[in-house]
Amino acid sequence: KNEVEQSPQNLTAQEGEFITINCSYSVGISALHWLQQHPGGGIVSLFMLSSGKKKHGRLIATINIQEKHSSLHITASHPRDSAVYICAVGYYNNNDMRFGAGTRLTVKP
Amino acid sequence: DTGVSQDPRHKITKRGQNVTFRCDPISEHNRLYWYRQTLGQGPEFLTYFQNEAQLEKSRLLSDRFSAERPKGSFSTLEIQRTEQGDSAMYLCASSSFGGRVTGELFFGEGSRLTVL
């Protein structure tokens, strides 16, 4: 069982829809990262958070430390949001990070 | 600073050949990570450096793999006697580490290896 579980694996939405991607992890962490990977492209860090909520433009990330769960929300989704979204967790005195398998989002016009 | 750069972006090689990838991190970052990503999967940790010291290696990293960061700046990842199973995207990332928590990760574009 992966230490970091994401759901859904694949998500197709119509432009303008509100998107939610979920991430659950199994042990205590120091920080959780949400990453975006476009096809054939590199990975871009969207958020790093250890508590509460962060917002950047149309993207919102929340984390519940007690429940070991985080969500990434995209408001007013757009076709350019189509990408793979990856959740990754880091530990105190971070050695390796653990990554989820990613959620492939396709937003149709 | 233009971010994390990796070279080459693509490498096609025959089984049994050696390949080397280079990563130039963001200059002020003291941590450098290597990851491997296969199709449809999230990245898997291979190894990381703090400055020039290699602090951890994954069990995924067989003895055919070696990584160096000789001066605490750029890093190389060498794969000897490549096998078809080594075909993957090799990603490099850097970050600042201060105290207990690693900062935001910055990734390179990756080096895609195809072993024929």
Side-chain angles (χ1 to χ4, degrees):
Chain A
K1 184 178 186 296
N2 196 355
E3 287 183 36
V4 181
E5 296 282 347
Q6 284 187 237
S7 63
Q9 284 186 305
N10 293 284
L11 181 57
T12 301
Q14 288 297 130
E15 183 174 356
E17 285 185 2
F18 181 81
I19 304 292
T20 296
I21 300 171
N22 296 299
C23 176
S24 297
Y25 52 93
S26 55
V27 297
I29 63 171
S30 63
L32 183 142
H33 302 250
W34 279 104
L35 310 168
Q36 181 192 56
Q37 187 172 33
H38 282 280
I43 297 176
V44 174
S45 176
L46 299 175
F47 295 102
M48 186 184 78
L49 65 164
S50 55
S51 65
K53 175 179 173 179
K54 286 190 176 181
K55 184 176 189 294
H56 185 258
R58 295 181 295 107
L59 302 178
I60 304 166
T62 63
I63 188 168
N64 185 316
I65 298 297
Q66 287 72 31
E67 294 185 3
K68 297 185 175 60
H69 180 269
S70 175
S71 293
L72 176 69
H73 305 286
I74 305 175
T75 61
S77 59
H78 190 276
R80 64 174 174 267
D81 297 327
S82 298
V84 175
Y85 293 84
I86 301 171
C87 170
V89 299
Y91 303 101
Y92 285 110
N93 297 321
N94 183 44
N95 300 326
D96 60 289
M97 295 187 68
R98 298 301 171 119
F99 292 78
T103 295
R104 184 174 299 277
L105 171 66
T106 303
V107 181
K108 296 185 174 181
Chain B
D1 196 348
T2 56
V4 180
S5 62
Q6 292 187 243
D7 182 71
R9 292 290 308 279
H10 303 276
K11 179 71 177 179
I12 301 173
T13 191
K14 292 183 179 179
R15 189 178 54 174
Q17 298 295 306
N18 299 343
V19 296
T20 299
F21 301 114
R22 175 179 170 128
C23 172
D24 287 90
I26 292 173
S27 57
E28 61 267 28
H29 284 177
N30 54 1
R31 284 225 167 162
L32 186 149
Y33 300 81
W34 284 102
Y35 298 95
R36 181 174 67 189
Q37 186 178 28
T38 52
L39 198 62
Q41 299 298 314
E44 296 173 301
F45 168 77
L46 294 179
T47 188
Y48 88 102
F49 293 83
Q50 179 145 323
N51 300 312
E52 67 276 7
Q54 187 174 19
L55 297 187
E56 185 162 336
K57 291 170 62 173
S58 165
R59 290 188 301 275
L60 294 173
L61 216 63
S62 75
D63 57 5
R64 297 184 298 103
F65 288 71
S66 62
E68 293 182 341
R69 194 184 183 196
K71 298 181 181 178
S73 56
F74 73 92
S75 175
T76 57
L77 177 69
E78 181 183 17
I79 309 174
Q80 296 182 321
R81 305 181 303 280
T82 52
E83 302 173 355
Q84 288 182 324
D86 298 331
S87 296
M89 176 75 86
Y90 290 86
L91 295 164
C92 175
S94 70
S95 71
S96 294
F97 179 77
R100 302 179 70 198
V101 180
T102 295
E104 184 180 358
L105 286 174
F106 291 82
F107 283 83
E109 294 288 319
S111 293
R112 182 171 295 284
L113 173 65
T114 302
V115 182
L116 302 176

